[in-house]
Amino acid sequence: EPEVTQTPSHQVTQMGQEVILRCVPISNHLYFYWYRQILGQKVEFLVSFYNNEISEKSEIFDDQFSVERPDGSNFTLKIRSTKLEDSAMYFCASSYLTDTQYFGPGTRLTVL
Amino acid sequence: QKEVEQNSGPLSVPEGAIASLNCTYSDRVSQSFFWYRQYSGKSPELIMSIYSNGDKEDGRFTAQLNKASQYVSLLIRDSQPSDSATYLCAVNTRNAGNMLTFGGGTRLMVKP
C-alpha cells in the first residue's frame, strides 16, 4: 500500500540554524501539506500546496518557513533560522484531491 | 476561529465493551470529518471519514455525524487493548486550502 515517507526521522539542530525536512508524498496525490505537533498539544496546520504553489497557510507559517517541490517526488519544508519553540513533530500529508489526507511518520525536530 | 473540541479523557473501557468518543466543531460550513488514531510518538492514522449526516460503519467502527448539532462521534465495538490510543477528530472546511483542524484528542484505554 502506498504511503507517505519522511526523512530524517529525528533532526537535532542549534538555534538559528536552517533545517530542511523532506517528504515523499503518495505518488498520484496532488495536494501536499505540512502539520506540526508540539509535545502534548494539538496537531496544527502549517501549509497546503497544490499545483506548485501555496494554497493556504496558517499564522504559524511566517517568513521563516518555506515549502518547495524541487522535483516530481519530493516536498520539502525549510525553516530558515530555527527557534527553541520550533521543536515539535512535523508531519507531511498528501491527498489525491480535496479529500482524505494521509500522514507520514513524522520528523521530530529538536532545537537546542 | 474554527475550533474542534474533544474530551481529553482518559476514557477507560473494559475489553469487549463499546467505546464512545465525541467531538464538537464550531464552523458550520465544515464539510468533511475524519477520525484518526494516534499512538504515542507516532503519526495520525486514518480510521474513518464521514461527509453526510447519519451513520457510517466500517468493521468495528461506526462514525456518526449530526451537522445540525455540529457533532461527530466514533463508536468502537468489541474494544481491544490494541485500540488503546489517542483518537483525533479532524474537520475540513474545503474552501480553506483543504486544511484540517484537529481536536486535542481523547485518550482511550482498553483494559484486559
Side-chain angles (χ1 to χ4, degrees), chain B residues 69-84:
Chain B
S69 300
Q70 294 176 244
Y71 86 79
V72 57
S73 62
L74 179 71
L75 299 178
I76 307 174
R77 288 181 298 282
D78 188 23
S79 297
Q80 301 296 309
S82 57
D83 294 327
S84 298

Side-chain angles (χ1 to χ4, degrees), chain A residues 54-86:
Chain A
I54 291 173
S55 52
E56 184 72 27
K57 60 183 180 179
S58 71
E59 292 176 354
I60 302 168
F61 195 89
D62 61 22
D63 291 344
Q64 293 299 311
F65 291 87
S66 62
V67 289
E68 192 178 32
R69 186 153 165 84
D71 53 43
S73 59
N74 289 284
F75 180 51
T76 62
L77 174 70
K78 181 192 290 187
I79 309 175
R80 263 180 271 280
S81 179
T82 49
K83 307 181 184 71
L84 294 176
E85 54 264 36
D86 293 327

Side-chain angles (χ1 to χ4, degrees), chain A:
Chain A
E1 185 173 319
E3 54 186 27
V4 178
T5 59
Q6 291 185 244
T7 54
S9 57
H10 191 189
Q11 175 88 51
V12 181
T13 189
Q14 296 291 324
M15 191 169 54
Q17 294 297 303
E18 175 184 287
V19 295
I20 298 176
L21 310 183
R22 291 182 167 80
C23 168
V24 179
I26 295 173
S27 61
N28 66 335
H29 283 188
L30 303 176
Y31 288 78
F32 315 118
Y33 315 86
W34 285 100
Y35 292 81
R36 80 171 186 190
Q37 187 176 32
I38 295 170
L39 187 64
Q41 297 188 23
K42 294 183 180 184
V43 176
E44 301 174 289
F45 170 81
L46 293 178
V47 65
S48 58
F49 192 86
Y50 170 72
N51 200 25
N52 282 320
E53 61 182 24
I54 291 173
S55 52
E56 184 72 27
K57 60 183 180 179
S58 71
E59 292 176 354
I60 302 168
F61 195 89
D62 61 22
D63 291 344
Q64 293 299 311
F65 291 87
S66 62
V67 289
E68 192 178 32
R69 186 153 165 84
D71 53 43
S73 59
N74 289 284
F75 180 51
T76 62
L77 174 70
K78 181 192 290 187
I79 309 175
R80 263 180 271 280
S81 179
T82 49
K83 307 181 184 71
L84 294 176
E85 54 264 36
D86 293 327
S87 294
M89 281 289 285
Y90 288 80
F91 297 113
C92 175
S94 69
S95 63
Y96 175 58
L97 294 172
T98 56
D99 54 5
T100 306
Q101 297 179 26
Y102 295 90
F103 284 72
T107 293
R108 180 174 300 282
L109 177 64
T110 301
V111 182
L112 302 176

